[in-house]
Amino acid sequence: MKPLPPGSTIGIIGGGQLGRMMAMAAAQLGYRCHIYAPEASGPASDVSAKWVQGRYDDAQALLAFAKGVSVVTFEFENIEPAPLKPLAAKTPLYPPLSALEIGQDRIREKRFAADCGGRTADWAEVNSRADLDIALVKIGVPAILKTVRFGYDGKGQARIMRPEDADAAWEALGPGAPLILEAMVPFQHEFSLIVARDSAGRVAFYDVPANVHKDGILAQSTVPAPDPVLEQVPAARSFARKLAEKLDYVGVFTIEFFAGKEGPVFNEMAPRVHNSGHWTIEGAETSQFENHFRAITGLPLGSTKTRGKMIQMDNLIGDQADDWLELAAEPGVHLHLYGKHEARPGRKMGHVTRISE
Ligand code: AMP
């Protein structure tokens, strides 16, 4: 890939906090960002050169948007791939559409992970109330019923702890949307791999954060992860390498794992930068955001080496961001606020990173 000169414009589909932090990293490298999103404004609008309002399923509008940029990327995976196809035929789009198609569909994702030699939770497709009963016999309880597509931050999920919970779970998610029932994986730790791959196939791994979720939403990431996680990193990395090669991936992607008894259990993959990689802004020599742009613009990948001994990233969810002044006063804390106007429960408003030497 011929390196994209500074001063070029990059298109980002999606205008949330990931788009905001992406645009900030792109600016550092001398690029300008145009955002395409359905809302009138968003966290990324404060820091980008242009905001184009358009629907994600409007292929014509997406095509017109791409005319003004040299390369297009996206900041979240819940976009239909079909309207992006005409755009991808005319303008370089990274990561590849195949990664988007797989990353947004829990069933395709699990099949793909298995093809790459990964282990997943036992699962079954659920398209009717009767399917759910059959799936529960196969999988047992506890289990989690999830929408196959368009779930995020614990949305589109219902736990089935006892067989009697099946009706409530079905009511909450069905009928209509395709569902998947997953066995609940017993784990001590969750962790994620944040990986950058360039167009020449060079791969760079970040140190692995251990992640704690609350109500299905990431609450905290810490680096280094505890020893039982570190033992599983080589297996997780060789799996990730295979997966990236099969997709001919360009950019940053993330795979979330459970540290299972017999090794890493694949949970899901995100074809994008990830909340569990926000610590890399101050905690690594090159952030996940910068390396994403380095990969998609043909620059050499930057060092992913960790800075500091212990790093902790805490999300500020809902009214936790009200403490911004106290947090700003804490020595050494790196406070990030996403410029969202309304602090709804469960909404990611910002994060803080603490690094100790
Ligand atoms: P997900 O959106 O699928 O990543 O789910 C959000 C969080 O719910 C995960 O990070 C886990 O903490 C929990 N979770 C989801 N699926 C499972 C599972 N099959 N077994 C155990 N915990 C799960």
Side-chain angles (χ1 to χ4, degrees):
M1 190 194 293
K2 203 163 153 256
L4 190 67
S8 304
T9 303
I10 299 170
I12 303 176
I13 300 175
Q17 64 266 19
L18 297 179
R20 180 183 178 98
M21 289 181 271
M22 284 166 92
M24 288 162 80
Q28 187 189 328
L29 293 172
Y31 299 118
R32 307 167 79 240
C33 287
H34 290 182
I35 308 288
Y36 182 98
E39 302 85 13
S41 66
S45 51
D46 299 338
V47 295
S48 51
K50 191 171 169 188
W51 178 282
V52 176
Q53 188 175 9
R55 293 200 325 266
Y56 290 136
D57 62 358
D58 188 340
Q60 283 308 315
L62 283 161
L63 203 54
F65 168 74
K67 285 209 177 101
V69 304
S70 301
V71 49
V72 177
T73 187
F74 45 87
E75 61 116 60
F76 81 130
E77 65 273 35
N78 289 336
I79 335 164
E80 290 290 348
L84 284 171
K85 282 194 177 141
L87 178 157
K90 289 243 157 86
T91 310
L93 173 72
Y94 302 113
L97 272 181
S98 55
L100 181 71
E101 281 165 349
I102 290 170
Q104 67 182 208
D105 182 312
R106 293 188 188 274
I107 290 179
R108 289 190 64 174
E109 193 174 63
K110 283 198 171 47
R111 289 199 174 119
F112 187 66
D115 286 349
C116 297
R119 185 184 302 129
T120 68
D122 287 340
W123 60 275
E125 275 183 68
V126 174
N127 293 308
S128 67
R129 181 66 185 80
D131 280 358
L132 178 55
D133 284 336
I134 297 165
L136 277 167
V137 171
K138 181 179 161 207
I139 307 281
V141 288
I144 306 190
L145 189 63
K146 300 182 182 179
T147 53
V148 170
R149 305 183 72 207
F150 302 141
Y152 68 100
D153 283 349
K155 295 189 180 69
Q157 301 194 4
R159 291 181 182 222
I160 302 182
M161 305 310 285
R162 303 159 305 154
E164 307 87 271
D165 299 339
D167 279 332
W170 174 256
E171 287 299 315
L173 303 182
L179 304 174
I180 177 173
L181 186 74
E182 287 180 24
M184 191 89 86
V185 177
F187 62 81
Q188 288 285 324
H189 303 282
E190 289 187 78
F191 67 99
S192 53
L193 275 192
I194 296 133
V195 188
R197 185 175 187 270
D198 70 11
S199 62
R202 283 178 289 253
V203 171
F205 293 104
Y206 285 93
D207 277 342
V208 164
N211 302 320
V212 176
H213 292 81
K214 279 193 193 130
D215 303 323
I217 304 175
L218 182 69
Q220 186 179 74
S221 297
T222 46
V223 175
D227 287 343
V229 168
L230 295 181
E231 284 161 18
Q232 302 200 355
V233 170
R237 283 187 175 170
S238 78
F239 162 74
R241 206 179 269 280
K242 259 188 237 153
L243 185 141
E245 272 165 22
K246 271 201 179 194
L247 291 169
D248 200 12
Y249 198 92
V250 178
V252 165
F253 68 96
T254 307
I255 307 181
E256 291 184 80
F257 294 94
F258 305 116
K261 277 208 181 72
E262 284 149 36
V265 179
F266 171 94
N267 176 21
E268 60 181 358
M269 96 149 229
R272 55 167 169 79
V273 289
H274 194 260
N275 193 170
S276 65
H278 290 357
W279 64 272
T280 62
I281 298 175
E282 294 89 6
E285 287 185 354
T286 314
S287 77
Q288 61 166 350
F289 301 100
E290 180 175 340
N291 258 340
H292 181 69
F293 282 106
R294 283 172 170 261
I296 71 169
T297 59
L299 300 185
L301 294 179
S303 160
T304 49
K305 200 163 167 264
T306 299
R307 293 173 174 162
K309 272 221 153 55
M310 297 263 295
I311 301 172
Q312 181 177 318
M313 188 288 308
D314 290 278
N315 269 339
L316 301 174
I317 294 172
D319 60 11
Q320 290 174 336
D322 293 350
D323 298 335
W324 56 273
L325 196 51
E326 287 86 340
L327 290 165
E330 199 186 304
V333 79
H334 300 280
L335 173 65
H336 295 254
L337 296 170
Y338 304 149
K340 296 183 184 178
H341 302 302
E342 201 193 337
R344 287 194 294 271
R347 194 171 197 211
K348 292 175 179 169
M349 304 299 291
H351 72 267
V352 286
T353 303
R354 296 177 175 90
I355 302 180
S356 51
E357 294 305 325

